[in-house]
């Protein structure tokens, strides 16, 4: 048993290194650009107040342009990881993947984990960049005496210090939702190119897979919502949560202003499991043909 575990870890590590060699430079190069632009926001914020309105407009435009690049980069990273999954599992490199002595589930686990990690780091960079750029632009519109040094970093530090519970809850929920979207993406690709739907043509298979994925997600979330009538209540603004509790809610009285349906979170986890099971099953079936 110990030998099997060691072999499993070794094969997982090998697949992870292969994934890094295949996609690391392109994806992480884009992510590095996102964080470099976040540093640019800080550097632009250190420029003393300029009395000339043209100079201020140029600096603000630079902030806006950097934010746009950071947001677009998330879309580019998502497209790259999805294309990588298609090429290695169903496209031009699929025969190399099938020839390796590793089960389909392990290949899928590495692909999903890689995509989730890359997108999580990219989204974090975009969120930080957007927040920093917005704060710096607003700070520059204030009087010089009212603007603290490193305004964006100070504001982010204040949120982390004053509302760690809210930040932690947001990170957990965001991680679950992101994993659901990653699993939905690989589910759509694998289902669209499965034997059942490939006969519909590329466009037809993708449309059917997208609709099927949408139905699975919404039906399971709705069922879980009604099956688990609990809500996660919090006090304070959504970004500054100071207290959290779980309680039942009477039907028709749920307010999304200060609560998150607990059933919705359970539904998200169920959807992830369904996407995973169907995708692994279709890959195993496809590779055994």
């Amino acid at each position: 048993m110990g030998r099997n575990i060691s072999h499993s870890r070794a094969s997982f590590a090998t697949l992870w290194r292969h994934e890094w060699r295949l996609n690391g430079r392109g994806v992480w190069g884009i992510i590095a650009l996102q964080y470099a632009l976040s540093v640019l926001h800080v550097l632009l914020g250190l420029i003393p107040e300029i009395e000339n309105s043209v100079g201020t407009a140029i600096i603000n435009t630079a902030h806006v342009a950097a934010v746009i690049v950071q947001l677009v980069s998330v879309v580019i990273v998502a497209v790259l990881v999805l294309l990588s999954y298609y090429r290695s599992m169903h496209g031009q490199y699929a025969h190399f993947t099938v020839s390796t002595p590793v089960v389909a589930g392990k290949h899928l686990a590495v692909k999903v984990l890689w995509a989730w990690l890359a997108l999580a780091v990219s989204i974090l960079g975009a969120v930080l960049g957007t927040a920093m750029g917005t704060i710096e632009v607003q700070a520059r519109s204030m009087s010089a005496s009212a603007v603290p040094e490193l305004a964006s970093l100070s504001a982010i530090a204040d949120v982390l210090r004053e509302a760690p519970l809210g930040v932690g809850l947001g990170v957990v929920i965001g991680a679950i939702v992101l994993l659901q979207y990653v699993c939905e993406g690989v589910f759509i690709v694998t289902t669209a190119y499965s034997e059942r739907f490939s006969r519909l043509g590329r466009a037809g298979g993708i449309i059917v897979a997208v609709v099927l994925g949408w139905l699975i997600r919404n039906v399971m979330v709705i069922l879980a919502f009604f099956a688990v009538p609990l809500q996660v209540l919090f006090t304070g603004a959504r970004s500054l949560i100071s207290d959290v509790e779980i309680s039942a809610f009477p039907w028709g009285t749920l307010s999304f202003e200060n609560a998150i349906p607990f059933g919705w979170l359970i539904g998200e986890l169920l959807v992830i499991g369904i996407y995973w099971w169907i995708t692994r099953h279709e890959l195993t079936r496809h590779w055994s043909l």
Side-chain angles (χ1 to χ4, degrees):
M1 182 176 178
R3 182 176 301 177
N4 291 334
I5 294 176
S6 299
H7 175 73
S8 177
R9 290 176 178 174
S11 59
F12 190 91
T14 301
L15 292 175
W16 184 262
R17 287 194 297 268
H18 174 72
E19 195 70 24
W20 180 272
R21 288 194 299 267
L22 188 64
N23 301 299
R25 292 182 179 179
V27 170
W28 292 101
I30 295 173
I31 293 174
L33 173 62
Q34 289 181 292
Y35 285 87
L37 291 174
S38 294
V39 175
L40 177 63
H41 288 305
V42 176
L43 296 177
L44 290 174
L46 292 175
I47 297 177
E49 185 180 14
I50 302 175
E51 296 182 0
N52 186 344
S53 59
V54 175
T56 300
I58 292 175
I59 293 176
N60 289 341
T61 301
H63 281 299
V64 173
V67 168
I68 292 174
V69 172
Q70 289 175 304
L71 293 175
V72 172
S73 296
V74 175
V75 179
I76 295 175
V77 170
V79 171
L80 288 177
V81 295
L82 204 57
L83 283 176
S84 171
Y85 175 81
Y86 163 73
R87 289 171 180 168
S88 59
M89 306 297 269
H90 301 280
Q92 60 196 59
Y93 304 125
H95 59 286
F96 291 113
T97 305
V98 176
S99 64
T100 58
V102 180
V103 296
K106 190 167 293 184
H107 278 289
L108 180 61
V110 172
K111 292 289 183 182
V112 168
L113 181 60
W114 167 266
W116 178 86
L117 179 62
L119 282 169
V121 177
S122 179
I123 291 173
L124 178 61
V127 170
L128 288 176
T130 302
M132 295 171 72
T134 302
I135 293 169
E136 294 293 351
V137 170
Q138 292 177 345
R140 192 163 291 277
S141 65
M142 300 165 60
S143 61
S145 59
V147 178
E149 292 187 7
L150 302 176
S152 58
L153 295 180
S154 299
I156 293 173
D158 289 341
V159 172
L160 294 175
R161 182 175 59 255
E162 296 174 6
L165 187 59
V167 174
L169 182 61
V171 169
V172 171
I173 293 175
I176 294 174
V177 173
L178 178 59
L179 181 59
Q180 182 259 306
Y181 279 114
V182 170
C183 289
E184 185 174 4
V186 298
F187 163 82
I188 289 173
V189 172
T190 295
T191 303
Y193 289 91
S194 65
E195 184 183 9
R196 294 185 181 92
F197 300 120
S198 60
R199 66 191 67 178
L200 299 176
R202 181 173 298 181
I206 293 175
I207 292 173
V208 171
V210 169
V211 172
L212 184 59
W214 180 86
L215 287 173
I216 291 173
R217 170 162 41 89
N218 285 277
V219 169
M220 293 306 302
V221 168
I222 292 173
L223 289 177
F225 176 81
F226 286 103
V228 186
L230 297 175
Q231 59 185 347
V232 181
L233 292 172
F234 53 84
T235 59
R238 197 175 281 269
S239 59
L240 295 173
I241 300 173
S242 57
D243 190 25
V244 173
E245 63 175 305
I246 298 177
S247 66
F249 62 87
W251 297 112
T253 62
L254 177 64
S255 173
F256 291 97
E257 291 298 322
N258 63 344
I260 299 174
F262 196 69
W264 170 75
L265 293 176
I266 295 177
E268 289 287 324
L269 295 174
L270 290 174
V271 170
I272 290 171
I274 293 172
Y275 284 152
W276 176 273
W277 183 83
I278 295 177
T279 304
R280 184 174 63 85
H281 175 75
E282 289 294 335
L283 286 174
T284 303
R285 184 173 182 274
H286 177 69
W287 290 2
S288 64
L289 295 178

